[in-house]
Amino acid sequence: MNMDKTSTGAPVHPAPDAPVHPAPEAAAGPAATQAPGFGPAPVAPAGYGVPVVPVHAPGYAVYVAQTVPKELRVGAGARFGAYLLNLLLMVVTLGIGWLVWAMVTWSTDAANPGQKILGLTIVKKDTGARLTWGDMFVRNFLLGGLVLSFLSGITLSILAWVNLFKVFGSEKQSLVDSMADTVVVRRTV
């Protein structure tokens, strides 16, 4: 019977003064987790290490990817500014120009036109990798457009208030972000 501490099933955390080793994905470089031309992944502030959790075999530990820190996420003010800018662009371009521009920026910048102008982008919460065009279509059109519009109609717009409280909350995520497991951050390049 093995009585060492790693075989108990409890998480193994490094000591506060122990060095934290980078995750295997980080050692491969930003190109491993980012699309070409996007630039490096958002860098976590000092003190954010990669947590260590044990594997089922005693004595072995693996590195687990860390989520995007809350300090790097964009708050409600920048989101509201992008929303107002999108409304203005829709009126000026009669909606059609904005839609074409949105289709392009979804694939090149993982953002809508208002977010692109303000220097924002949408990334996956667990890896920090920017979304693909398909991910943006699912997030914005299917989840944000169809599902949330339908649910908001059923709940008599109570869902809009829930979304507002979520954006101002500590996670800095909207309902669409929560469903798609994404966050909005400032572009690094």
Side-chain angles (χ1 to χ4, degrees):
M1 183 163 153
N2 190 355
M3 298 300 270
D4 64 18
K5 291 183 180 183
T6 58
S7 64
T8 62
V12 176
H13 299 284
D17 57 342
V20 178
H21 303 289
E25 298 88 21
T33 59
Q34 297 294 321
F38 181 66
V43 178
Y48 283 90
V50 179
V52 179
V53 295
V55 183
H56 297 295
Y60 292 94
V62 295
Y63 294 100
V64 175
Q66 175 182 332
T67 63
V68 176
K70 293 177 187 170
E71 291 82 14
L72 297 178
R73 300 176 188 178
V74 174
R79 285 172 176 264
F80 185 66
Y83 175 76
L84 290 178
L85 192 54
N86 278 323
L87 286 178
L88 176 66
L89 291 171
M90 280 185 209
V91 169
V92 170
T93 64
L94 302 175
I96 297 171
W98 181 89
L99 185 61
V100 171
W101 191 6
M103 295 298 127
V104 172
T105 58
W106 281 5
S107 63
T108 59
D109 298 305
N112 58 44
Q115 290 171 334
K116 178 181 170 63
I117 291 172
L118 293 180
L120 307 176
T121 190
I122 303 168
V123 297
K124 294 188 186 266
K125 181 181 176 183
D126 55 349
T127 63
R130 81 176 177 99
L131 301 181
T132 63
W133 190 92
D135 293 335
M136 290 292 291
F137 179 79
V138 168
R139 178 190 182 273
N140 292 340
F141 181 72
L142 295 180
L143 294 177
L146 299 179
V147 173
L148 283 185
S149 297
F150 176 72
L151 292 176
S152 185
I154 289 175
T155 62
L156 303 175
S157 298
I158 292 174
L159 204 59
W161 287 100
V162 171
N163 190 29
L164 185 66
F165 285 117
K166 281 193 64 62
V167 169
F168 280 100
S170 64
E171 289 292 317
K172 297 180 181 176
Q173 283 185 298
S174 65
L175 285 173
V176 173
D177 287 328
S178 295
M179 289 189 296
D181 201 29
T182 59
V183 291
V184 179
V185 296
R186 295 216 178 269
R187 277 198 310 269
T188 57
V189 174

